[in-house]
Amino acid sequence: MLRMGFIDDVEWILEHTPPERQTALFSATMPDVIRRVAHRHLRDPQEVKIKSATSTVTTIRQRYWQVSGSTNKLDALTRILEVEEDFDAAIVFVRTKTATVELAEKLEARGYAAAALNGDMQQAQRERTIEQLKNQRLDIVVATDVAARGIDVPRVSHVINYDVPYDTEAYVHRIGRTGRAGRTGDAILFISPREKRMLYTIEAATKQRIEPMQLPSEAAVASRRVAQFKRLVAEAL
């Protein structure tokens, strides 16, 4: 959000506050730009931070799929969604607002209860989308980093990084939408060969290895569909 220009407004507000004041600064992360604000505007501050061995919780299973030329990302995503165990709901992260709408529409066309979530949406519409995710009227939300900040929906079992995040902090915030409050979760990263450096950077920053995963075969997807169809027929009978 700071890169989008919010920092200028923060600086302007702080410069116009009275000299006699008490200021507390809370931040989930402490990048250099926020640290500079703290040093400039806080007087003799005391820093309190939570000690953590890693930046990500160990209850989240982290895997990556290396994008290949033979399978496009949309096909890979739908295969994964069909065969993942313990799947309940997912947040799929993309980089742009346009991509949220395009991918959500493509998933809807393939039969998924999906919707976009981005900064162009009105607050009421955003809240309605999150409420639908909570109430099981939606199973997939395709979101940008900014739009998904603060989402806490217990049934989100999977976070899928359809597009690689810009930095490690974005990755940590993204996968933090699952595995909350002691629950388990799954995080899957789509990464191309030329983006492999970011994978290593994320592993170094989080002090956790991200395991490679094999894309489910078409036979496995077909078998899962048959099993689900039989289950639905048995339930109907």
Side-chain angles (χ1 to χ4, degrees):
M1 292 178 72
L2 296 178
R3 284 195 295 268
M4 295 171 64
F6 283 80
I7 189 61
D8 297 331
D9 294 328
V10 171
E11 293 275 12
W12 186 91
I13 291 170
L14 289 171
E15 287 169 1
H16 288 76
T17 52
E20 295 300 323
R21 68 180 190 274
Q22 184 177 27
T23 307
L25 184 149
F26 299 90
S27 181
T29 56
M30 190 59 69
D32 290 339
V33 64
I34 295 180
R35 194 174 294 278
R36 285 196 295 271
V37 169
H39 288 166
R40 188 179 306 118
H41 295 284
L42 274 62
R43 295 188 297 275
D44 300 321
Q46 297 295 315
E47 185 173 342
V48 179
K49 58 184 177 181
I50 299 172
K51 184 177 181 180
S52 175
T54 61
S55 301
T56 56
V57 294
T58 55
T59 54
I60 300 175
R61 180 188 181 195
Q62 298 179 66
R63 291 169 290 164
Y64 76 89
W65 172 68
Q66 183 165 308
V67 179
S68 65
S70 58
T71 307
N72 67 47
K73 290 167 69 173
L74 179 60
D75 286 340
L77 176 60
T78 52
R79 281 199 212 177
I80 290 169
L81 291 173
E82 290 211 42
V83 304
E84 274 294 289
E85 298 292 337
D86 302 319
F87 176 83
D88 193 0
I91 299 179
V92 180
F93 281 95
V94 294
R95 284 182 176 170
T96 67
K97 299 172 187 177
T98 303
T100 64
V101 176
E102 291 177 351
L103 183 56
E105 288 177 348
K106 289 176 181 177
L107 288 170
E108 275 192 299
R110 295 191 177 203
Y112 293 96
L117 188 69
N118 61 58
D120 283 347
M121 297 167 61
Q122 296 293 326
Q123 181 64 19
Q125 186 181 0
R126 180 181 182 275
E127 290 175 356
R128 185 165 57 251
T129 300
I130 296 172
E131 196 62 30
Q132 289 175 331
L133 185 65
K134 288 180 179 178
N135 297 336
Q136 301 184 20
R137 293 175 62 191
L138 285 175
D139 295 325
I140 302 168
V141 166
V142 185
T144 55
D145 290 318
V146 173
R149 289 292 175 97
I151 292 179
D152 185 5
V153 179
R155 65 181 291 253
V156 172
S157 58
H158 287 67
V159 168
I160 298 176
N161 293 279
Y162 193 81
D163 291 334
V164 175
Y166 289 110
D167 52 39
T168 57
E169 288 178 11
Y171 176 81
V172 171
H173 279 293
R174 284 181 177 189
I175 72 170
R177 300 310 101 202
T178 187
R180 299 172 73 84
R183 296 183 292 268
T184 58
D186 282 88
I188 298 172
L189 174 68
F190 284 11
I191 198 154
S192 67
R194 61 185 176 81
E195 295 167 330
K196 248 340 193 9
R197 184 185 296 273
M198 176 55 74
L199 172 68
Y200 303 139
T201 302
I202 291 171
E203 288 182 327
T206 60
K207 300 182 177 65
Q208 289 180 271
R209 185 162 185 266
I210 303 176
E211 301 289 337
M213 67 178 291
Q214 294 294 321
L215 194 65
S217 66
E218 292 181 0
V221 173
S223 176
R224 184 64 175 265
R225 287 175 180 170
V226 170
Q228 287 178 336
F229 179 72
K230 287 180 179 178
R231 178 179 57 79
L232 290 172
V233 170
E235 289 175 359
L237 291 172

